[in-house]
Amino acid sequence: MRDAIKESGRASLHLLSGAAIAILCYLMVGVALFTAFLTVTVIGAGVLPESVLLLRRLAGWERRRTAAWTGAPVPEAYLPLEGPLPARVRTAVADPGTGRDLVWAAAQLLYGLGVWFASLVLWAPALLVDGVVTGLAGRRPVVLPLIGRLADLGAEWSRTLLTPTPSAARAAALAARVEELTATRAGAIAAHGAELRRIERDLHDGTQARLVALSMRIGLAKRVYDSDPVTARKLLDDAQTQAEEALAELRHVVRGIHPPILTDRGLTGAVRALAASSGLEVEVSVTGLADHTPGDRPERPDAPRAPAAVEAAAYFVVAEALTNAAKHSGATRASVALTRERTALRARVADEGRGGAEAGESGGSGLVGMRRRVAALDGTVRLTSPEGGPTVIEVELPCVW
């Protein structure tokens, strides 16, 4: 009996909150009618998107309330209200979710208050019958469970009215996907622009300056060659040194565009080369990929390779992660794991440093560039870096093998 009373009280509180939402729906219907009048007269068209957003919030409260009672979430599917005012008005009117929310709000006026009043009516006979008759007889409650069934009934009606149709769910998913692709495209363009500026800066400040100095020294050597061969030879020696330095810097720039080692030895060989030159003690593990030992003997020559863009993205992610670990984490050890999934390539870099790396756009430029590069390939980046460490960066890049 005690459990039945407790459950009935919980159901009554649920029904009371539903009645409160029903009263808000009454106000929402008035707002909807007023908004429709203003929209028809054109003078208040700007109110329509805001009213629709208010209706979505109210429906969202009911979804959360229903999910809390039933234990199963209620899905939602809305087209995004973005862009200039005319586009927002068109979206608000054309969105199937708006119509379903209006139908729910009108129905909630009836069943939200109806089941609440029905529960109030049931409490008196419940206390009399269950509290006296069945209680003294030691039998199971008869009337009290009906209050919980009223709450189940109201939740079921809300779920039915608020669950989007399959077509509306597909349209909302498509709109969300387009929005995501627009954001990743903007990030890819920004990353590409930053990469071009970096290459231009490296060529201008490094290679070009050395080539200008090289040309000047060769010109000076030509002038003094007949009169002072010793000085001319010294100038030519300096010019040769500068030519070698310019070639080294040019190779560095080329490696920044697409490392030749990726073409020659594949991703595993390139990552092992990174690990060897990182300054840390790095353990590299490879699963399902063509692996090359330091002696260039392929362990699994028959294993497929990922597309070049995927390999390049994974390479630069590992390079950036190891560089950050060596510069900022204070770690002496790190690990890199490359795994071939059925439809993706997964890379995991972990270090034993102090942690504290920031995720999102607030992180360093290296992490931001990493996220943009991965997002351009529709991949995901997960960063775990609590204070005190360890720092773990996991990247998943979709690809077809």
Side-chain angles (χ1 to χ4, degrees):
M1 179 64 68
R2 185 181 298 110
D3 292 340
I5 293 175
K6 184 183 299 184
E7 184 63 21
S8 299
R10 177 172 170 265
S12 295
L13 289 177
H14 176 77
L15 294 171
L16 177 60
S17 63
I21 289 181
I23 295 174
L24 292 176
C25 287
Y26 179 81
L27 300 176
M28 192 68 230
V29 169
V31 171
L33 294 174
F34 181 68
T35 301
F37 171 76
L38 291 179
T39 303
V40 170
T41 59
V42 183
I43 60 174
V47 181
L48 180 61
E50 302 304 323
S51 300
V52 171
L53 288 175
L54 181 61
L55 179 61
R56 289 182 180 182
R57 293 190 186 99
L58 188 60
W61 292 343
E62 179 64 15
R63 285 188 176 90
R64 289 190 292 272
R65 194 178 71 90
T66 301
W69 176 257
T70 61
V74 182
E76 67 175 30
Y78 295 118
L79 298 178
L81 289 177
E82 298 177 344
L85 179 59
R88 298 176 66 198
V89 172
R90 286 193 299 270
T91 302
V93 174
D95 187 4
T98 303
R100 294 189 70 85
D101 287 351
L102 285 173
V103 172
W104 162 79
Q108 180 76 13
L109 288 174
L110 302 176
Y111 73 81
L113 293 173
V115 292
W116 162 245
F117 288 134
S119 69
L120 292 180
V121 172
L122 285 176
W123 266 107
L127 294 177
L128 178 63
V129 175
D130 293 337
V132 178
V133 179
T134 60
L136 293 177
R139 298 178 179 176
R140 299 176 67 86
V142 176
V143 182
L144 283 174
L146 296 178
I147 300 176
R149 292 175 186 173
L150 285 175
D152 292 338
L153 183 61
E156 185 61 29
W157 284 341
S158 294
R159 179 180 296 277
T160 301
L161 292 172
L162 290 175
T163 299
T165 61
S167 60
R170 286 193 297 269
L174 179 61
R177 180 60 175 162
V178 169
E179 184 179 0
E180 178 186 355
L181 290 176
T182 301
T184 56
R185 178 178 178 272
I189 292 174
H192 180 66
E195 189 72 7
L196 288 179
R197 289 191 295 272
R198 181 191 67 79
I199 294 172
E200 181 183 6
R201 184 175 60 252
D202 290 346
L203 291 175
H204 181 273
D205 297 342
T207 307
Q208 178 177 299
R210 292 191 182 278
L211 290 177
V212 170
L214 172 62
S215 177
M216 292 176 61
R217 288 198 176 270
I218 293 176
L220 291 174
K222 288 173 62 178
R223 288 186 180 183
V224 301
Y225 182 77
D226 294 330
S227 60
D228 192 351
V230 177
T231 302
R233 179 178 293 277
K234 184 178 182 304
L235 290 173
L236 289 174
D237 291 339
D238 292 343
Q240 182 179 8
T241 302
Q242 290 182 347
E244 293 171 353
E245 292 174 351
L247 285 174
E249 289 189 357
L250 192 57
R251 293 191 190 99
H252 178 74
V253 173
V254 171
R255 282 196 297 270
I257 299 173
H258 184 83
I261 194 173
L262 275 178
T263 304
D264 298 337
R265 298 184 56 187
L267 179 61
T268 55
V271 168
R272 291 189 186 280
L274 281 175
S277 61
S278 66
L280 301 174
E281 184 180 346
V282 182
E283 177 184 356
V284 179
S285 62
V286 180
T287 303
L289 296 173
D291 193 4
H292 294 263
T293 64
D296 271 346
R297 292 172 299 171
E299 183 178 322
R300 291 197 56 188
D302 58 329
R305 287 184 59 171
V310 174
E311 283 193 343
Y315 175 86
F316 284 114
V317 165
V318 174
E320 183 64 35
L322 291 179
T323 299
N324 289 343
K327 287 185 177 180
H328 309 297
S329 71
T332 58
R333 296 173 56 87
S335 64
V336 178
L338 300 175
T339 306
R340 175 196 171 193
E341 305 287 348
R342 188 173 65 88
T343 58
L345 171 66
R346 187 185 300 274
R348 182 181 185 274
V349 183
D351 67 68
E352 302 174 355
R354 63 177 65 94
E358 295 184 5
E361 294 295 322
S362 60
S365 59
L367 290 175
V368 173
M370 179 192 304
R371 290 185 180 278
R372 288 178 175 174
R373 185 185 291 272
V374 172
L377 298 176
D378 206 19
T380 58
V381 178
R382 288 183 293 273
L383 171 64
T384 304
S385 184
E387 291 294 337
T391 296
V392 179
I393 298 176
E394 293 181 283
V395 173
E396 184 173 320
L397 294 163
C399 67
V400 178
W401 301 91

